Amino acid sequence: MSEQPLTRVKAKSTGRVRFMVLGLVFINIIINYMDRTNLSVAATQMAGELQFTPLQMGLIFSAFGWIYAALQIPGGFIIDRFGARVVYGVGLFLWSLITALHAVASSFGALIGLRLGVGAFEAPVMPSNNRVISSWFPEEERASAIGIYSSAQFVGLACMTPVLFHVQDLYGWRGLFLITGVAGMVWALVWYCLYREPLEHKGVSQAELDHIRDGGAILESRQEAAKRKFVWSDLALMFRSRKLAGIYFGQFTISATFWFFLTWFPTYLVQYRHMDFIKSGYIASVPYLAAFVGVLLAGFVSDRLIKRGVSASFARKAPVILGMALTLFILGANYTNDPTLIIVFMSVAFFGNGLATITWVFVTALAPRHLIGLAGGVFNFTGALSSIVVSIAIGALISGDNFAPALAFIAVLAGLGICSYLFVVGRISLDPPEHPTQDEERAAR
């Protein structure tokens, strides 16, 4: 019997509840990034109506990241303590409510405050996603699962960006925020009703539990997690590892490209490349689709290499390094005025960013098992810092009609990320390091 039929039989015999959970996470992320990118769609009209300068818009773009980054580490611990069902559900509802309140904002200060609110309640999102996948998927399926849920941010941007442009064209930027906010509040209730941890899900079979447990998934009841207390030594552990530090910095550089596309890219097309507003909505979706293909390709190819016996170090790192190398193509847009070539260069760069986005797999591989949420919080904290730095830096670097220094800045960061993965992270293993429990540590002392 061929390998492919065997794989299908195995998937059927072990159950498919984990794939339903992956589907819920996929939709969560589409909602999440819809509520992040709506500001970039609204930016040109909003700035004109409220008379904001490029630097002021850069500050508004970055305000999300100030609190989002600051709360990543606490958010990671909260996920470990209370679980994704409650934390994700409450956060999703509240950030969507605040998104809807953007519709009544009329000043720079009000928009800064609202973006801070969205950032605060979105803070646990990525640690939650990583925790859910670490709980529901065995190691051999994990990069594919990460690739699928990470692709949601790109397919969401690709599909939703033209829709958001049309919504704004019909209802204005205030109507855009109101409609996207209400959609998120409705979905938050759906998530809370449907999601459960593996040991608490009534639909999961014993065969599927055994499959994910034997494959290295983290199965833990809420009662067990509730006993965990925060200790500063856990946080210190997150920074003592050179490899963890390497992936933290690498995530900052990878996220820099992503945040350019999430914030300034529509403005770049409309204001600096003088493209039609509605047409820009469709044009902007092309690089997003390229990134979608990139992240799916990276996840499935990486898992395929693992199953074929290729070293984990190569299988996991190769898509990341290749992806960041392709990101350097963003510089090509500085040397042409042809709209088609501009989109080609941008699409290659964002395809590369998609390839590199499977980096969450390193959190599971390098962090102690009982601190996956905390490690995810630190990891996403460094990525979130780029939302602050990139948004403000681009606002400061652009001058008149010259956007070239901003794109050069993104390329330099990508080059530094390549160096981090090559020379700081080095070789990796699939086995997370063992770490003594708190009781064992106290006994040892």
Side-chain angles (χ1 to χ4, degrees), residues 69 72 239 245 247-253 255 377-387:
Q72 283 306 298
F239 294 96
I247 68 170
Y248 297 157
F249 180 75
Q251 186 66 3
F252 175 88
T253 63
S255 297
V378 177
F379 181 74
N380 209 42
F381 164 76
T382 55
L385 287 178
S386 66
S387 70

Side-chain angles (χ1 to χ4, degrees), residues 111-132:
L111 284 164
I112 289 287
L114 289 168
R115 298 312 293 173
L116 288 171
V118 173
F121 289 109
E122 285 197 15
V125 166
M126 295 309 290
S128 293
N129 295 333
N130 191 54
R131 181 73 193 192
V132 170

Side-chain angles (χ1 to χ4, degrees), residues 68-107:
Y68 180 81
L71 293 180
Q72 283 306 298
I73 296 174
F77 175 75
I78 289 170
I79 287 298
D80 285 338
R81 184 75 159 75
F82 297 105
R85 183 187 180 219
V86 172
V87 177
Y88 218 147
V90 172
L92 203 165
F93 186 88
L94 292 177
W95 93 57
S96 298
L97 174 61
I98 295 172
T99 295
L101 292 176
H102 283 58
V104 298
S106 296
S107 69

Side-chain angles (χ1 to χ4, degrees), residues 61 89 93 102 135 137 145 150 165 195 217 255 267 274 299 334 413:
F61 280 136
F93 186 88
H102 283 58
S135 298
F137 284 85
S150 296
F165 271 83
Y195 180 75
S255 297
T267 300
H274 310 294
N334 284 342
L413 289 178

